Amino acid sequence: MKLSIGMSGKINYLLLTTALLGTFFSGTATRIVSISMPTIPSSLATDLLGVSWALVSYQLSNIGLSIVFGRLSDLWGREKVFALGFLVFSAGSLLCGLSQSLIQLILFRFLQGIGAAMLQSSSRALAAESVPENLAGRAQGYMTTAHHVGFIIGPSIGGLMIDYLNWRWSFFFLVPIGICGMLLTLLNVKRCPPTFQGRSASIDYLGAVLLFATTSTLVMLLDRRTQQMIPASSKAALALLFIVCLAGLVLHETRTRNPILNLTLFRIRRFSMSVISLLVVASCYALTGFLLPFYLQDVLGLTATSIGLVFMAPSVITIALAPASGYVADRLGPRIPASVGVAFMIVSLGIGAFLRVDSHWLLPALLVIVSAITNGIFNPANSMAMIALMPAEHRGFASAMNHVTFGFGNVMGVALSSLLMSVAFEHHTGIAGTALTTANPSGFVAALNTTFIIAAGWSSVGLATSLIGSPRKSSHPGPR
C-alpha cells in the first residue's frame, strides 16, 4: 500500500513494515538462541566446546554468504531473496529444534545462517526503497531501532522458553514469525510492483565460492571461539588458505564481466569511506563490550545483575536516538550525524583511560552510555550514506556490505582487545609471557587504560573517514 507524502513521493508502508520485521527478527533470534546455548550440551551429550561450533557455523554462513545474496538480490530482485530468507531461516530454526545430535545442530545452524544472510543482506536496501529520498535517513533510523528492540526482548523470550518449556522452543518460537514475514513479503509483491526488478546477468559462481572461502577463513582466523578450538598448526594452514583465496578472489573479480564482488564500487568515496568508518566504530564498540564486564565484575566487584542492567542501557539509548539521527541526516545529510557519532566514541574511549582499581561504578557506566550514543547517532546516518545514496542496482550489495562490515568489526574488536590487553599487561607488569588475569588488578587496569587510549586513536580514523566520505546534503545519484 502506498500513501502520498506531500510532494516528495510515496511510502510503501507494507514494504517498510516487512523490512522492519526482518531486522527485528534477526535481532531477536540472535539473542534468543544465545540464551539457550548453555542448556543444550546436556541434552545432546556434548560440552560447551561442541556447542561453540554451532555458533561458529551460523556465523560462517551468515557473514560468508551475505555479500553473495546481496549481489543476487541486485540481479533477481530483493523481495524474492528476502521472502526466501524468511523461509530458509524458519526451516533452519525448525530443524535446529528437532536436532538429535550435535552434528545435526551444527548443520542446521549453518542453514539458519544462510537464511539470516538472505534477510540481512536485503533488509536495509528494502527500507531505503520503501520511502522517498527525503525520508531515507529516517528509514535507516527505524531499522536500527527495530534491531535493538529485538535485541532487548530476545533474552527475556529465550529465558521464558527455557524456564517453562525447553531449549528447543527457543528455535520453534522463531518459525511462525519467519512464516509471517515471508507471507508479508509475498503480499507486498502481489499488491505493489517490486521497487527494484533486478536485471538479467550471468552469475559469477566461482567468485561466489572464492568470496565465501575468503570471508569464512578470515572469520575463523579472528574469532575468539575458533582461536580456542583450532590447534596452532591448523591456524597457520588457515592463514595460508586465506591469503590464497583472497589473491584468487581479487584476480578473478578484476577480470570477470559480472563480478559477485564489484570492486569498482569502492572507488565511490562516500561508500568506501563509510565502510571504513563502520569497521572502526563496530570494532571499538565490540572492544568496549568485551572488556568492560571483566573490569566491572572482577575488579569493581559488581554483581552479574548490576552488569546486565548497565549493558541494557545501550540498546535503550540507541532506540531513543536512532530516529532522531535519521531525521537530522535527512535534513543535513549523513556527514554531520555520522561524524558526531564517532566523536562520541572517541570521548567514551577517552573515559576508559581514567578507569582505576577503585573507581566508582558510575564512571564505567558513563563510558557505556556515551558509546551507546555513538551507536544511536552513527548507524542510521552511516547506513544512509552506504545504502540509500547508492544507485538502485547496487543497493543489495551495499546493504550486504553494511552487515558484513559490522560483523567483521565485532570479530576484529574482540581479537584486537585480546591482543592489546595481553601486550599491555606484559609491559605494565614487567613479566614476559605472563597470562592476562584480573588477579593482578593494578596490572589489568593499567593494560585496560592503554588499550582504550589506542582504541581512541583508532577511532580518530573513523572520524576522518566520516568527515571526508559523506556529502553534507543528500545527493542521490539515481539508478544508472
Side-chain angles (χ1 to χ4, degrees):
M1 180 172 61
K2 297 184 178 181
L3 301 176
S4 295
I5 299 293
M7 299 294 292
S8 59
K10 298 178 179 180
I11 296 179
N12 185 336
Y13 284 108
L14 181 58
L15 181 59
L16 179 59
T17 299
T18 307
L20 292 171
L21 177 62
T23 194
F24 167 80
F25 183 55
S26 300
T28 306
T30 300
R31 299 288 280 172
I32 287 177
V33 174
S34 296
I35 291 295
S36 69
M37 282 297 164
T39 66
I40 294 177
S42 59
S43 177
L44 297 183
T46 184
D47 54 20
L48 287 177
L49 185 62
V51 172
S52 293
W53 281 109
L55 296 172
V56 171
S57 66
Y58 177 88
Q59 189 173 36
L60 291 179
S61 58
N62 185 9
I63 295 179
L65 292 172
S66 284
I67 295 178
V68 174
F69 287 123
R71 176 59 177 157
L72 291 179
S73 74
D74 287 334
L75 298 177
W76 293 349
R78 278 183 261 291
E79 284 92 339
K80 296 177 184 177
V81 173
F82 200 61
L84 184 60
F86 275 118
L87 179 62
V88 173
F89 195 98
S90 297
S93 299
L94 177 63
L95 292 171
C96 284
L98 296 173
S99 296
Q100 300 300 312
S101 68
L102 177 63
I103 296 299
Q104 288 181 3
L105 182 63
I106 291 172
L107 291 175
F108 296 146
R109 281 284 286 170
F110 189 88
L111 177 64
Q112 197 181 40
I114 293 175
M118 293 178 177
L119 290 171
Q120 293 172 322
S121 64
S122 302
S123 59
R124 284 190 178 269
L126 288 174
E129 292 169 354
S130 69
V131 299
E133 176 189 343
N134 65 317
L135 298 178
R138 269 164 279 193
Q140 297 305 319
Y142 298 145
M143 290 291 286
T144 300
T145 295
H147 177 80
H148 282 271
V149 169
F151 214 66
I152 287 178
I153 70 173
S156 299
I157 296 173
L160 288 172
M161 294 293 166
I162 293 169
D163 288 342
Y164 294 99
L165 297 167
N166 57 54
W167 65 267
R168 298 181 185 276
W169 282 93
S170 63
F171 290 103
F172 293 152
F173 175 82
L174 301 172
V175 176
I177 301 177
I179 298 299
C180 179
M182 181 190 69
L183 294 176
L184 282 175
T185 306
L186 295 177
L187 177 62
N188 180 73
V189 173
K190 182 178 179 180
R191 296 181 64 180
C192 307
T195 54
F196 178 71
Q197 297 282 355
R199 58 189 178 87
S200 177
S202 59
I203 298 173
D204 179 18
Y205 291 105
L206 178 58
V209 172
L210 287 171
L211 179 61
F212 174 72
T214 302
T215 53
S216 297
T217 50
L218 181 58
V219 168
M220 294 186 72
L221 283 170
L222 295 176
D223 188 79
R224 182 172 56 92
R225 290 183 296 261
T226 55
Q227 288 294 311
Q228 296 172 345
M229 294 185 286
I230 299 176
S233 58
S234 298
K235 293 176 185 176
L238 200 61
L240 179 61
L241 178 61
F242 166 71
I243 294 172
V244 171
C245 290
L246 178 61
L249 176 67
V250 173
L251 185 64
H252 174 74
E253 297 299 89
T254 54
R255 295 182 176 183
T256 191
R257 183 175 181 180
N258 294 300
I260 200 78
L261 179 63
N262 192 342
L263 297 175
T264 61
L265 292 177
F266 290 93
R267 296 175 184 172
I268 302 174
R269 187 181 67 178
R270 177 184 63 246
F271 176 71
S272 58
M273 292 298 101
S274 296
V275 169
I276 296 173
S277 298
L278 179 58
L279 182 68
V280 171
V281 169
S283 62
C284 291
Y285 200 74
L287 179 146
T288 299
F290 178 66
L291 292 179
L292 268 190
F294 293 101
Y295 171 74
L296 291 171
Q297 182 169 325
D298 296 338
V299 177
L300 298 189
L302 268 66
T303 65
T305 301
S306 299
I307 296 172
L309 290 174
V310 169
F311 278 93
M312 186 182 292
S315 289
V316 175
I317 293 171
T318 299
I319 289 170
L321 292 179
S325 172
Y327 176 81
V328 173
D330 285 333
R331 296 295 300 270
L332 304 177
R335 174 185 294 180
I336 292 177
S339 301
V340 170
V342 184
F344 272 104
M345 176 59 75
I346 296 174
V347 172
S348 72
L349 294 168
I351 294 173
F354 294 96
L355 297 178
R356 298 293 180 262
V357 174
D358 57 351
S359 293
H360 193 281
W361 66 269
L362 285 175
L363 185 61
L366 178 63
L367 189 160
V368 172
I369 291 171
V370 175
S371 67
I373 295 174
T374 293
N375 207 27
I377 296 176
F378 171 82
N379 282 343
N382 196 71
S383 296
M384 177 184 174
M386 281 187 69
I387 304 166
L389 300 184
M390 285 288 282
E393 65 266 29
H394 298 304
R395 284 183 188 155
F397 170 78
S399 181
M401 273 301 302
N402 183 280
H403 172 61
V404 170
T405 303
F406 185 79
F408 272 127
N410 276 281
V411 173
M412 189 176 82
V414 174
L416 186 64
S417 64
S418 300
L419 174 63
L420 291 176
M421 284 292 293
S422 297
V423 173
F425 188 75
E426 285 189 21
H427 170 74
H428 288 292
T429 58
I431 306 173
T434 185
L436 178 65
T437 176
T438 54
N440 182 344
S442 59
F444 182 86
V445 173
L448 192 65
N449 298 150
T450 301
T451 299
F452 277 124
I453 291 172
I454 294 173
W458 171 233
S459 289
S460 66
V461 175
L463 179 59
T465 52
S466 290
L467 286 170
I468 67 177
S470 298
R472 290 183 180 178
K473 293 185 178 180
S474 176
S475 56
H476 195 290
R480 61 173 183 247

